Amino acid sequence: MKKIAILLVLGVFLTASCEKDQGNESSQIRKKAVDTLIIGSNTFVLDAYLWRDFMPVSPKNGKPMISINWLVSTDLAKIPENISMIKQYVFFGDEVWEAEYENEAPSPSLPEYKLERISRNGPKWGPNINVDVISQIYDSQANKNYYIERKGVYVQRTN
């Protein structure tokens, strides 16, 4: 019985430390994020659109959040091949939705100065709330990760 109690206490301790580490990772990412990202001679901003579907065919409490992110070259130059979008972080208060982008083809009409990535099956926050979105950007030429942020993104509701 004593061994079981020790194992339970140890399990609770390990679980709590993992949650703390995840919180620290999120706060570190927030500190690294910039609203305008400069890589070489290119300057980028992030745009984002998030929504929850409440169409009549949806569950009564709506479908999970969907997020589309665009990395936009501010001078409308083609985004270099070495730049890619890896993962997104959506912050709502102390909560974080972390998701790798889906492997979907971008919109066919997307201009060459934009990269587009989508994440699905997010949390059921909102709608009609504001969140902060951070995208992890990878430069394969420099083998370096960057973080770019868009604050105050409104979560839409589709009816």
Side-chain angles (χ1 to χ4, degrees), residues 39-54:
I39 302 175
S41 62
N42 301 96
T43 303
F44 305 101
V45 294
L46 182 68
D47 199 5
Y49 179 74
L50 290 87
W51 76 95
R52 297 230 2 252
D53 189 353
F54 288 85

Side-chain angles (χ1 to χ4, degrees), residues 51-60 62-63 157-159:
W51 76 95
R52 297 230 2 252
D53 189 353
F54 288 85
M55 298 288 250
V57 295
S58 298
K60 186 176 181 178
K63 290 183 180 176
R157 172 190 175 107
T158 60
N159 292 322

Side-chain angles (χ1 to χ4, degrees), residues 69-90:
N69 296 175
W70 296 275
L71 184 66
V72 182
S73 176
T74 59
D75 63 359
L76 307 182
K78 181 179 180 184
I79 296 182
E81 297 292 323
N82 58 298
I83 303 297
S84 56
M85 300 172 76
I86 305 298
K87 185 188 292 188
Q88 75 158 13
Y89 302 83
V90 178

Side-chain angles (χ1 to χ4, degrees), residues 123-136:
K124 289 190 172 184
W125 301 332
N128 306 321
I129 59 168
N130 289 310
V131 296
D132 295 336
V133 179
I134 295 176
S135 181
Q136 179 182 344

